[in-house]
Amino acid sequence: MNLRSIQRVVCLATLIVAVMDLPLFAEVPLHQQIDSLVGVGNEQFEKNASKPADDATFLRRVTLDLTGTIPSVDEVHAFLNDQSTDKRTQLVDRLLASPEHARRLQYFFDTMMMERRRDKYIPAAQWRNYLRTSFSENKPWNVLVHEILSADGTDEKTRPAAKFLLDRELKAEEVTRDLGRVFLGRDLQCAQCHDHPNVNDYLQRHYHGLNAFLNRSYLFKDPKTKKASIGEKAEGLVSFTSVFTKEEGKTAPRMLDLPEIADPPMPKDPYKVKPAKNVRSVPVYSRRLQLANAMTNPTNVAFQQNIVNRLWAMMMGRGLVEPLDMWHADNPPSNPKLLNLLTESLRKNKYNIRLMLREMALTKTYQRSSHVAKDAKIPEETSFSVALLKPLSPEQLAWSMMQATGLTEKTLHSLKAKQSKADAKKGQKKTEDPQWQEEALHDALSRNVTAFVTTFGIVGAQTSQFDASANQALFLRNGPLLQSWLVPSKNNLTARLKKLKASDQIAEELYLSVFSRHPNKMEKAQVAAYLNETQAQSNQGLQQLVWAALASDEFRFNH
Amino acid sequence: MRRNQGCHQLDHQLARRQFLAGAASGAVGLGLLGSPANAEKIKGQHKRVLQLYLQGGVSQLESWDPKPGTEYGGPFRAIPTSVPGMHISELLPYTAQRMHLLSIVRSINLKTNDHGQGRLFMEKGRRAGEFPYVGSIASKYLAPANSELPGYIHISTRGLNDSTAAFLGAQHAQLKFEGVKPPKNLAIPKGLDQTTDARRVQLRQQFNKQFGRGRTKSMTESFDASFIQAAKLMGRKSFFEKPPAQKDLERYGTHDFGRNCLLARALLENDATCVKVTHHGYDSHAENFNFHLEQLGEFDKTFAMLLDDLHERGLLESTLVMVYSEFGRTPKINVRYGRDHWGTAWSIALGGCGIQPGAIIGKTNEKGTAVADREVDAGHLFHTYLQALGIDSTGDHEIAGRSIPIGDPTAQAIKELLA
């Protein structure tokens, strides 16, 4: 044995020891594993990747992503002054535990599953409440989806969960398509009448395999209570003919290419409740009830991939597969290893959404700046070596504007006072409860949020494109709602600015309130120049200073 | 109760209609031909769409496919038109004299009698799913990059707000005008003067400039473009407020529909890409004949004047004109003298850009209860509109990494209708 081989043996031995030792020191945290798959540590990658975002940018970004609004001025101060080395981790954990986080996920998943369609049978308030409660107790994704796909609307306790199916009226083309898109990441719509013309992977049997879970179900309206629920027949097969080739096919329920789920032998009496006029029929064997099981079954990898891809897109601004519902061989994930890691980890961690978001937020990838260095080329979006801009959702935009202008704080203040006055004994204590605060504020300001959703929300298919329309710009530019928030009142932003004399102070307060950061020298000078010009009408001058900041690109995007 | 008129009055009005029809025919040929001077102007014009949506479902029997003297024909007669051999209902005397500019499709079967489904099918060319409306497609593919107006403007006096752009994005969604009222939020906020307004917009751009350095531009550019478009609309505020000329009002009529059509004309003249005007109130489950007498009475002359103006200004060659509904009305007359929903055998009229004028496509059987020849549905019509506009409807939308067939791949254009 020469010297080199001895070295090799020693190295190998150390390596083996190290690997064997690993469990003792716990596994490498998921966020580090993610980073190394993105390219962290790779010299070439590091050279081109943008720098870590500064504390203020990180605070704004993660507060928007996890709680749906920008931070308050106090929060910005506190975070910037915090000297602890793990303050980002602490922040992420604090945000994830807040009532605002459950609200943010309520908005996010409501939009994802119901796509801002108009209410039909289940009032949106009940459904949203159900979602929010689920997220505040961190209900695992598979459990949540199981509830949503198995509720039939007859039990008051689980009725809100039935909104996904009931509000689509069990219509095959809507339910089937949306099951594929929302839960499996595959828009099979064009495979309804024929194998997809452009996508080789989308077959007519995939569409009809999903449809077969529901083709025996129907919308039942109780003539007495007028309530809608789901009834089901014991028979009914799915067969289809291609409008192109006239080929015929048959399928039992199935998840894409997973095996068909055969019906058990038909019993002599196939019904628990027989079909009759004004009666909701219930079969002994329900195909519909197989849906929730098959969807959340561990073998259904598409279901797991879909949710990690959507959570990744929520945090990083772009899915590993993009568009989120166009998963097929010609549109593969940009980073398959990373996708596998996330999918496995989701399974291992029992579909824990909060944990997944936590690990994503802790990555270097998430915490990068959205600025590329001077002279550097802007890298491919799929490399995730620079943070991508994320347009604020209508809800994020509304809450952030209310936060920035001081409306949130002003409203909370008066809500607290009212509660304390109304309940002299416990009122004050109650108002200290973050849950009470979140709900009271939400109720008080929800009409403003609705106004933004009406203007900025898009009904139907989600796309990753950002689009702005003239109506939206007119709403921001001239709409009375935003203008009313600019009028100085109590302790709102313009009232605070009015009290300040020096333009430097005004710039500081403005930037901290609206952009959640300190202004730089040039920005201070810019504010000073503007104030100088508009001195004659300082009232409007300050208001429109705030307006210009609110209507700016920096405010419109999470960056 | 204006609509619930007795028989006597109906007779009376009918006589008046006949008189008007006669008077109109005398005017044929005068002023309807495009002047040569205008022909030059046409060149280089971008293609556009004028949609006249008769909401509720106009009766094909009282409009484009009359069956006088048959079991379900109703009380109105058929009159000859400017196209030899082509007859339409006597409720459309002005339009009748301009049929050489239009064509009729008489053999539509949508297989639905539902307002919502019929409307979406007619607009999207698909029975179901999230697809863009004709207007949004026009906005996407026909609107010039430097357009002064949003690509798709809908003039209507009622609610109904659809997601019209689907995956084409918010900038191609319809911008709705409530009648001739300008869009919402067009005026500078109270208390702000022009100088302050200009300064705040400038300040906004200053903020953006710093933010944009070293960042990808596509999203911020889209956001900024919406402000530019908003500013253009604001700059045209007076355009919306300017009262129409008395002479025009006399020709078009002083009713909402007349005013809306005048606005549509002005928009098209100012290079709008798709303008849709909704004429409400054709859902005549009772008193179908009185309803149509009144509704089409309002529609007919206004539409004819608009058609004349587009023609005279040389705009018709670059403007596809669609007169359509979500379905037609049942041949069978119900006990309330009404006609109900009927998507099974009904008609629309098309003209202008890319359309062979003076044609009749398809026919219904003698009683009008079924399509007898050349059955088409909204999928075929959809391909036809787009191909008339020079858009390859058999191609794909290429949107953010996905290819989506523009028209339903199982339907085709009505080739014989294309010029």
Side-chain angles (χ1 to χ4, degrees):
Chain A
M1 202 181 267
N2 63 27
L3 202 63
R4 269 173 80 187
S5 50
I6 291 173
Q7 260 183 344
R8 202 180 292 159
V9 171
V10 174
C11 276
L12 212 71
T14 343
L15 203 73
I16 290 167
V17 171
V19 169
M20 291 186 38
D21 270 357
L22 254 182
L24 287 176
F25 296 105
E27 207 182 331
V28 178
L30 179 59
H31 59 268
Q32 286 175 16
Q33 296 183 55
I34 293 173
D35 280 333
S36 52
L37 284 181
V38 171
V40 173
N42 174 327
E43 206 176 313
Q44 191 58 33
F45 179 87
E46 295 279 8
K47 216 181 94 194
N48 293 320
S50 60
K51 303 274 163 296
D54 59 33
D55 278 346
T57 306
F58 173 74
L59 172 68
R60 181 185 193 266
R61 182 186 299 167
V62 76
T63 309
L64 270 166
D65 279 333
L66 298 183
T67 68
T69 181
I70 58 167
S72 69
V73 178
D74 289 346
E75 284 162 337
V76 179
H77 279 305
F79 190 69
L80 296 185
N81 294 331
D82 188 344
Q83 297 302 318
S84 40
T85 48
D86 64 340
K87 66 179 185 179
R88 292 197 179 191
T89 312
Q90 281 185 36
L91 171 69
V92 169
D93 286 332
R94 200 164 60 238
L95 295 177
L96 286 171
S98 69
E100 286 80 7
H101 175 61
R103 180 77 66 183
R104 160 73 171 142
L105 290 191
Q106 169 214 304
Y107 285 140
F108 179 80
F109 282 93
D110 177 25
T111 310
M112 178 179 127
M113 288 191 262
M114 298 314 295
E115 302 191 317
R116 306 199 187 281
R117 58 183 65 229
R118 250 173 263 180
D119 258 15
K120 273 257 162 64
Y121 299 108
I122 308 286
Q126 288 175 19
W127 156 253
R128 289 172 187 159
N129 203 33
Y130 159 73
L131 287 179
R132 197 170 72 265
T133 318
S134 299
F135 292 119
S136 78
E137 60 197 42
N138 196 21
K139 194 180 278 174
W141 176 241
N142 58 342
V143 175
L144 181 65
V145 173
H146 198 282
E147 287 176 7
I148 288 170
L149 297 184
S150 57
D152 63 13
T154 54
D155 180 351
E156 279 310 314
K157 269 188 282 175
T158 59
R159 184 170 167 80
K163 188 174 176 81
F164 182 85
L165 293 176
L166 272 184
D167 276 24
R168 286 174 172 84
E169 301 185 274
L170 278 308
K171 280 184 190 161
E173 63 267 22
E174 285 192 45
V175 177
T176 307
R177 178 177 183 224
D178 291 349
L179 284 172
R181 292 174 50 228
V182 174
F183 297 115
L184 297 169
R186 282 158 176 83
D187 184 352
L188 301 169
Q189 174 168 263
C190 292
Q192 181 177 0
C193 312
H194 41 74
D195 291 348
H196 197 292
N198 309 106
V199 179
N200 293 335
D201 291 2
Y202 292 180
L203 306 181
Q204 216 175 347
R205 68 160 187 269
H206 293 154
Y207 180 93
H208 292 282
L210 269 181
N211 180 27
F213 285 105
L214 290 163
N215 78 309
R216 295 174 180 176
S217 295
Y218 60 92
L219 191 77
F220 172 76
K221 281 185 209 156
D222 190 310
K224 271 186 230 145
T225 61
K226 304 282 175 220
K227 271 196 174 164
S229 58
I230 304 174
E232 190 175 354
K233 292 182 189 129
E235 283 174 278
L237 294 172
V238 163
S239 59
F240 51 90
T241 312
S242 167
V243 294
F244 286 154
T245 62
K246 307 294 171 207
E247 269 173 280
E248 287 180 28
K250 274 199 177 102
T251 184
R254 69 192 310 177
M255 283 290 154
L256 305 173
D257 284 321
L258 291 175
E260 290 183 65
I261 300 165
D263 289 353
M266 179 87 76
K268 220 165 86 188
D269 190 359
Y271 282 101
K272 285 188 209 164
V273 181
K274 279 204 175 78
K277 204 183 166 217
N278 294 338
V279 170
R280 192 181 75 95
S281 61
V282 182
V284 174
Y285 172 76
S286 163
R287 274 194 171 186
R288 190 177 56 78
L289 287 180
Q290 309 310 308
L291 172 64
N293 294 335
M295 183 64 85
T296 55
N297 190 290
T299 58
N300 190 12
V301 180
F303 174 70
Q304 299 147 15
Q305 290 175 329
N306 170 68
I307 190 63
V308 296
N309 192 46
R310 283 172 185 269
L311 294 175
W312 181 267
M314 169 187 163
M315 296 298 280
M316 308 294 178
R318 182 191 168 95
L320 293 165
V321 168
E322 186 74 42
L324 303 179
D325 56 1
M326 283 310 269
W327 209 300
H328 57 86
D330 295 333
N331 186 35
S334 57
N335 189 335
K337 280 188 190 157
L338 176 54
L339 178 77
N340 285 345
L341 170 71
L342 295 173
T343 311
E344 265 171 45
S345 155
L346 179 85
R347 261 198 310 262
K348 216 161 58 191
N349 292 307
K350 302 196 171 64
Y351 298 81
N352 186 334
I353 293 176
R354 196 180 289 174
L355 189 129
M356 188 60 80
L357 292 174
R358 177 182 191 272
E359 292 301 315
M360 288 180 183
L362 294 181
T363 58
K364 291 190 169 140
T365 307
Y366 176 79
Q367 299 191 12
R368 243 173 253 294
S369 168
S370 60
H371 252 304
V372 292
K374 247 190 214 160
D375 316 319
K377 224 180 94 199
I378 292 173
E380 289 285 323
E381 290 195 346
T382 48
S383 73
F384 296 103
S385 61
V386 57
L388 305 176
L389 296 191
K390 292 172 283 192
L392 303 193
S393 69
E395 291 89 351
Q396 284 176 320
L397 193 60
W399 284 108
S400 297
M401 287 204 174
M402 294 193 286
Q403 176 80 272
T405 53
L407 182 68
T408 311
E409 210 183 317
K410 197 181 95 176
T411 309
L412 184 61
H413 190 77
S414 68
L415 285 169
K416 279 176 162 179
K418 217 164 124 192
Q419 179 67 29
S420 301
K421 213 173 144 193
D423 185 354
K425 258 191 189 164
K426 292 181 202 151
Q428 199 161 358
K429 196 167 171 239
K430 199 171 175 183
T431 59
E432 295 309 314
D433 176 19
Q435 187 76 32
W436 179 89
Q437 291 185 2
E438 199 282 333
E439 283 175 24
L441 256 181
H442 183 269
D443 290 347
L445 299 175
S446 65
R447 278 178 63 193
N448 295 335
V449 180
T450 307
F452 275 74
V453 170
T454 311
T455 311
F456 293 89
I458 294 176
V459 180
Q462 296 169 352
T463 64
S464 46
Q465 273 198 317
F466 171 70
D467 265 296
S469 67
N471 298 6
Q472 294 169 2
L474 288 169
F475 175 90
L476 293 178
R477 212 176 179 298
N478 304 330
L481 190 63
L482 182 50
Q483 289 300 319
S484 72
W485 299 344
L486 301 177
V487 179
S489 151
K490 289 192 180 151
N491 203 28
N492 75 359
L493 177 58
T494 35
R496 292 202 307 272
L497 293 178
K498 241 180 124 177
K499 284 182 206 140
L500 299 170
K501 290 283 170 293
S503 70
D504 268 14
Q505 286 176 313
I506 292 178
E508 275 287 335
E509 187 68 22
L510 173 79
Y511 270 74
L512 285 168
S513 306
V514 179
F515 296 133
S516 313
R517 65 175 173 92
H518 290 295
N520 64 27
K521 224 165 139 191
M522 190 187 65
E523 289 164 336
K524 281 184 192 166
Q526 186 178 294
V527 169
Y530 173 81
L531 290 173
N532 207 20
E533 267 176 66
T534 52
Q535 238 165 13
Q537 3 113 26
S538 65
N539 207 7
Q540 274 299 345
L542 283 177
Q543 289 184 42
Q544 299 317 319
L545 174 69
V546 175
W547 177 85
L550 289 174
S552 71
D553 293 349
E554 179 167 353
F555 193 80
R556 183 69 185 84
F557 297 94
N558 191 357
H559 49 81
Chain B
M1 287 289 287
R2 212 172 137 223
R3 301 215 187 264
N4 212 356
Q5 293 156 330
C7 292
H8 296 295
Q9 214 162 348
L10 181 71
D11 289 341
H12 173 79
Q13 290 201 356
L14 255 185
R16 192 174 143 262
R17 283 265 146 226
Q18 280 159 16
F19 166 75
L20 284 175
S25 56
V28 178
L30 292 176
L32 296 184
L33 301 168
S35 67
N38 280 329
E40 277 306 299
K41 248 176 70 182
I42 300 163
K43 281 182 196 158
Q45 270 179 354
H46 84 277
K47 289 176 178 163
R48 59 199 98 197
V49 187
L50 167 66
Q51 299 181 302
L52 294 153
Y53 172 50
L54 310 186
Q55 183 270 333
V58 70
S59 167
Q60 68 285 1
L61 294 159
E62 274 69 57
S63 56
W64 312 114
D65 193 12
K67 305 274 182 188
T70 65
E71 185 178 359
Y72 305 128
F76 302 117
R77 294 184 305 183
I79 52 172
T81 69
S82 56
V83 176
M86 181 195 279
H87 288 64
I88 62 172
S89 168
E90 65 173 333
L91 295 184
L92 296 168
Y94 284 92
T95 305
Q97 298 313 320
R98 288 147 183 93
M99 286 313 290
H100 58 284
L101 301 174
L102 300 172
S103 283
I104 303 173
V105 182
R106 278 181 175 159
S107 50
I108 306 169
N109 183 358
L110 294 190
K111 297 179 182 154
T112 178
N113 295 325
D114 178 272
H115 283 292
Q117 279 173 27
R119 179 166 52 85
L120 295 178
F121 194 10
M122 288 298 284
E123 291 285 5
K124 299 175 177 186
R126 306 290 221 287
R127 283 185 195 281
E130 291 297 332
F131 290 98
Y133 279 35
V134 176
S136 291
I137 293 177
S139 168
K140 165 91 179 169
Y141 296 104
L142 302 179
N146 58 351
S147 183
E148 296 280 309
L149 286 165
Y152 179 19
I153 296 170
H154 179 192
I155 307 168
S156 160
T157 40
R158 284 191 217 165
L160 292 179
N161 224 344
D162 294 318
S163 157
T164 57
F167 43 77
L168 296 183
Q171 74 181 106
H172 299 296
Q174 66 175 18
L175 179 67
K176 204 156 150 196
F177 290 8
E178 285 168 33
V180 293
K181 267 196 281 177
K184 273 189 197 149
N185 302 318
L186 212 51
I188 300 177
K190 267 188 207 130
L192 234 64
D193 56 40
Q194 292 285 354
T195 323
T196 320
D197 181 56
R199 187 63 183 93
R200 68 173 182 152
V201 171
Q202 193 198 356
L203 187 62
R204 176 183 177 274
Q205 284 159 352
Q206 253 176 303
F207 281 132
N208 290 348
K209 217 170 150 193
Q210 287 150 36
F211 181 73
R213 282 194 199 111
R215 287 190 166 98
T216 40
K217 300 280 187 288
S218 64
M219 285 203 263
T220 48
E221 271 172 5
S222 169
F223 185 48
D224 295 341
S226 72
F227 277 87
I228 294 170
Q229 213 174 41
K232 283 180 179 171
L233 278 173
M234 288 170 66
R236 285 166 175 261
K237 191 161 171 283
S238 60
F239 167 91
F240 299 104
E241 287 163 346
K242 203 172 76 186
Q246 197 52 41
K247 201 177 77 192
D248 279 336
L249 273 180
E250 275 165 27
R251 290 173 61 232
Y252 277 65
T254 52
H255 40 72
D256 282 349
F257 183 62
R259 290 173 191 274
N260 293 347
C261 282
L262 274 171
L263 177 59
R265 187 188 76 183
L267 289 167
L268 288 168
E269 281 173 347
N270 281 276
D271 275 341
T273 298
C274 179
V275 180
K276 172 174 170 178
V277 183
T278 294
H279 194 211
H280 291 280
Y282 287 87
D283 196 14
S284 53
H285 289 281
E287 295 288 341
N288 175 70
F289 305 106
N290 282 334
F291 254 104
H292 276 79
L293 187 65
E294 204 173 283
Q295 287 294 108
L296 288 175
E298 194 169 274
F299 170 82
D300 178 45
K301 189 181 175 202
T302 305
F303 172 59
M305 296 303 117
L306 180 55
L307 206 55
D308 283 358
D309 288 352
L310 293 182
H311 185 47
E312 276 177 29
R313 283 152 219 239
L315 277 169
L316 198 54
E317 288 191 38
S318 59
T319 308
L320 171 73
V321 177
M322 301 164 51
V323 184
Y324 68 113
S325 285
E326 61 270 47
F327 43 54
R329 308 216 69 84
T330 46
K332 194 160 183 264
I333 300 160
N334 68 26
V335 291
R336 290 161 295 162
Y337 305 102
R339 296 192 194 267
D340 302 310
H341 300 174
W342 188 245
T344 312
W346 62 287
S347 322
I348 67 165
L350 294 174
C353 178
I355 295 292
Q356 188 76 53
I360 298 175
I361 304 293
K363 62 178 180 193
T364 48
N365 64 14
E366 208 167 301
K367 288 184 181 176
T369 54
V371 172
D373 182 36
R374 188 67 172 105
E375 180 173 307
V376 295
D377 65 23
H380 302 94
L381 294 171
F382 190 81
H383 279 282
T384 311
Y385 313 138
L386 297 190
Q387 290 187 21
L389 291 164
I391 298 170
D392 178 11
S393 60
T394 62
D396 291 335
H397 298 289
E398 300 292 346
I399 305 293
R402 75 173 72 200
S403 305
I404 303 155
I406 294 178
D408 182 345
T410 65
Q412 305 83 35
I414 305 168
K415 289 280 182 212
E416 62 271 35
L417 199 49
L418 295 172

